[in-house]
Amino acid sequence: MAKSYKNFIAGEWVAAEGGASYENRNPADHGDQIGTFAASGPGDVDRAIASALEGFRMWSRVPAPRRGEALKRAGDIMTEKKEELADGMTREMGKPLVETRGDVQEAIDTAYYAASEGRRLFSHTAPSELPDKAGFVLRRPAGVFGIVTPWNFPIAVPSWKIFPALLCGNAVVWKPAQDTPWSAVQFVEILVEAGVPPKAVQLVTGFGSEAGAPLVADERITGVSFTGSTEVGCRIAGVCGANGKRVSLEMGGKNAQLVMDDADLELALEGVLWGAFGTTGQRCTATSRLVLHDRIHDELVGLLVERASKLRLGDGRKKDTEVGPLVNEDAREKVETYVRIGQEEGATLRAGGRRPEGLDEGWFYEPTIFTGVTPSMRIAQEEIFGPVLSVLRVGSLDEGLEVVNGVRYGLSSSIYTRDVSRAFRAIDRIEAGITYVNGPTIGAEAHFPFGGVKDTGNGHREGGWPVYEFFTDMKTVYVDYSGRLQRAQIDTWSPQ
Ligand code: NAP
Ligand code: MG
């Protein structure tokens, strides 16, 4: 019998109302059932928010450095459990162990960053325009936040939201992706073990429409931090906008790697293999377009096709696996649809384009490369979220930058060149939240801002320090110690 996992509400592990549950399977092996998980509904979300409001009242009074100590312990526990977590995460969502270890490490880094932020939470002060008067700004806990996350970084992405939210003294109600509830249960167990008061953290697993929708629409929350598709994110933003709630959105991407004719081609090759096929292409920052200068196009495509065809597919828990499965059958069918679209649009299939032989027990798909892609094709415009790379050919830096920018998204980007002027022109002109020079589009570090422009985001950033702005309220304080009524803008100081 597969193990049955529950929600975490009001400090207890409890089944969903009415006992509703769903099963979750290993994407590399359909026969391997990970467990059954609570399929939560509005009633569960309602109780979770009520309890989080109580948790907020208590946790928000704990001094920030003390809150940071609990998050430091969470980082320590994750460090001890890194292998165990990585193994379970790979079993749950498929990417190879080397990547799930990195996923856990990112959460550890984020925990330690948050812990140290407990002794900063810096704010501003400025001189008053009046004599004997002081002005400064405090950062205050803001309330209860709804946290809605995707499955591709089952611990790292939640950590970017939950650790800063808690450090700032807020409570959270978390609806993780339906495909990665096991990882979410581990995360919450670690927080509680680390000493975060149980009511400050609530977990409601289940489906977006049944558990996510009532969470983001509840009037009692202060705001929502969301990572996922642009479609769902914009819908959530509509609900939050109508309710006057703040919302932070990290959404889709169609990231490009631009390779100029003066680039180190070996380096560019390693970069695109990792960027396009790491996590089976299921990263928001995945390289899904390769934009090649005409003069190196054929040589790089030749090398790339050869190397991509040799990537070892398999169960991510096996030592020599380089590429794992897609997360579920729907994701694989979406990839198949786009491969068909690419062929109908007239692009040339140079590698992959099919399910691999001998791996029928999982949702595998071969690393796929299209050449002859033009900027207006759907495979050059739409997020596929799988191991499909579209190669476009350009004749100059200007044309390359135009192609790179010619999509609705703006998350990550990359240029390979040895020419410093070209590199800086690209840094200046690429419309994206992240630009790499001589590195692939993936590989964010926890202490730098992370996020995108255009339809990728709504102006907020995670990672590093800006996320602490989102999760706090500012209070401006004026202290007048003159002993008389001083009127700003009216009583002016003049030299005697
Ligand atoms: P998704 O379908 O948008 O789902 C994201 C989360 O929203 C899941 O927990 C989902 O629940 C929930 N949800 C769905 N409908 C909802 C609703 N009406 N109300 C509230 N919540 C709802 O995205 P995904 O397929 O999990 O992830 C892939 C997408 O995420 C890609 O577009 C990728 O680019 C993006 N992504 C972006 C970043 C970034 O930082 N920019 C990072 C990672 C991923 P269910 O699981 O039940 O559907
Ligand atoms: Mg699954």
Side-chain angles (χ1 to χ4, degrees):
M1 259 284 277
K3 197 169 164 192
S4 141
Y5 294 87
K6 296 178 172 156
N7 283 330
F8 190 69
I9 299 176
E12 284 176 48
W13 292 96
V14 288
E17 264 183 15
S21 68
Y22 72 101
E23 60 175 43
N24 191 14
R25 291 180 179 276
N26 178 345
D29 176 5
H30 314 144
D32 177 21
Q33 193 185 329
I34 292 155
T36 61
F37 294 85
S40 312
D44 304 297
V45 171
D46 177 62
R47 285 188 302 115
I49 294 174
S51 168
L53 287 164
E54 287 177 30
F56 172 68
R57 274 192 287 279
M58 190 231 281
W59 182 237
S60 58
R61 290 201 199 105
V62 175
R66 298 280 167 264
R67 296 195 297 253
E69 284 164 14
L71 300 181
K72 156 80 169 56
R73 283 193 293 277
D76 292 343
I77 299 168
M78 284 185 174
T79 305
E80 280 162 33
K81 292 192 168 170
K82 187 168 170 181
E83 268 318 299
E84 184 191 327
L85 288 168
D87 183 74
M89 289 156 73
T90 293
R91 181 180 173 207
E92 184 165 56
M93 57 68 67
K95 66 187 175 187
L97 283 176
V98 61
E99 295 188 39
T100 44
R101 284 187 198 114
D103 197 308
V104 179
Q105 188 58 46
E106 199 161 329
I108 294 167
D109 297 342
T110 303
Y112 292 160
Y113 186 99
S116 68
E117 197 59 35
R119 292 192 179 270
R120 280 188 301 268
L121 275 188
F122 288 151
S123 196
H124 290 90
T125 181
S128 167
E129 67 186 43
L130 291 162
D132 295 333
K133 187 180 172 191
F136 56 92
V137 179
L138 294 177
R139 279 191 192 289
R140 293 164 56 78
V144 173
F145 282 87
I147 306 288
V148 181
T149 52
W151 47 267
N152 60 343
F153 284 88
I155 288 201
V157 166
S159 83
W160 293 357
K161 303 174 185 304
I162 293 173
F163 288 149
L166 290 175
L167 187 277
C168 294
N170 305 296
V172 297
V173 179
W174 178 21
K175 205 304 277 179
Q178 60 179 272
D179 284 304
T180 50
W182 180 88
S183 302
V185 168
Q186 310 311 307
F187 194 114
V188 170
E189 281 180 349
I190 289 169
L191 284 174
V192 174
E193 188 186 336
V196 174
K199 288 185 177 175
V201 184
Q202 319 276 330
L203 175 69
V204 283
T205 60
F207 308 118
S209 52
E210 288 156 37
L215 172 60
V216 302
D218 197 287
E219 292 280 356
R220 293 168 293 175
I221 62 168
T222 294
V224 173
S225 180
F226 170 85
T227 296
S229 61
T230 296
E231 187 200 349
V232 172
C234 288
R235 200 172 328 140
I236 290 175
V239 173
C240 289
N243 288 347
K245 308 294 183 187
R246 76 186 74 169
V247 58
S248 165
L249 305 171
E250 294 292 350
M251 307 185 286
K254 188 72 188 173
N255 315 290
Q257 174 177 325
L258 172 60
V259 184
M260 297 308 297
D261 52 346
D262 63 277
D264 177 337
L265 290 194
E266 264 307 311
L267 197 62
L269 174 65
E270 295 303 327
V272 69
L273 282 166
W274 177 230
F277 303 120
T279 320
T280 322
Q282 303 168 108
R283 289 183 181 226
C284 49
T285 53
T287 308
S288 57
R289 297 179 295 149
L290 179 65
V291 183
L292 299 181
H293 192 283
D294 195 40
R295 276 198 281 271
I296 48 90
H297 176 280
D298 295 353
E299 185 183 352
L300 191 52
V301 165
L303 295 168
L304 177 62
V305 167
E306 191 194 331
R307 286 284 298 279
S309 312
K310 286 191 191 140
L311 289 170
R312 281 183 303 272
L313 270 66
D315 183 340
R317 291 204 283 175
K318 294 207 172 117
K319 217 170 130 246
D320 58 354
T321 294
E322 292 173 296
V323 180
L326 274 303
V327 71
N328 56 39
E329 182 61 14
D330 283 353
R332 181 162 68 174
E333 283 174 5
K334 184 176 174 196
V335 167
E336 289 178 327
T337 302
Y338 274 103
V339 169
R340 233 180 357 259
I341 290 169
Q343 287 171 309
E344 283 163 13
E345 288 179 313
T348 308
L349 187 60
R350 293 289 300 272
R354 54 179 188 169
R355 300 178 178 197
E357 280 166 25
L359 283 170
D360 301 333
E361 68 281 9
W363 291 297
F364 292 95
Y365 198 82
E366 288 188 1
T368 297
I369 299 169
F370 277 110
T371 56
V373 178
T374 56
S376 62
M377 288 183 184
R378 287 182 62 191
I379 58 167
Q381 289 290 330
E382 297 172 22
E383 186 178 47
I384 301 173
F385 224 59
V388 181
L389 179 68
S390 298
V391 183
L392 298 98
R393 188 194 283 261
V394 294
S396 66
L397 177 65
D398 283 344
E399 191 192 347
L401 294 175
E402 202 174 306
V403 168
V404 169
N405 287 339
V407 294
R408 62 189 284 225
Y409 300 109
L411 184 52
S412 189
S413 57
S414 149
I415 179 167
Y416 281 74
T417 178
R418 290 184 171 109
D419 179 335
V420 71
S421 317
R422 285 172 158 180
F424 271 89
R425 250 181 281 156
I427 291 169
D428 186 41
R429 284 168 52 191
I430 292 178
E431 297 162 358
I434 303 165
T435 294
Y436 289 89
V437 177
N438 294 328
T441 57
I442 67 179
E445 298 182 28
H447 56 300
F448 280 102
F450 180 92
V453 302
K454 293 158 74 174
D455 288 355
T456 295
N458 65 340
H460 292 286
R461 289 289 181 274
E462 304 196 292
W465 57 97
V467 69
Y468 293 86
E469 304 268 343
F470 180 75
F471 284 117
T472 47
D473 277 336
M474 278 190 249
K475 174 176 281 182
T476 305
V477 182
Y478 297 104
V479 180
D480 189 325
Y481 50 95
S482 69
R484 60 183 187 277
L485 174 66
Q486 298 197 92
R487 297 167 302 176
Q489 294 91 39
I490 294 169
D491 297 325
T492 50
W493 178 85
S494 55
Q496 297 303 310

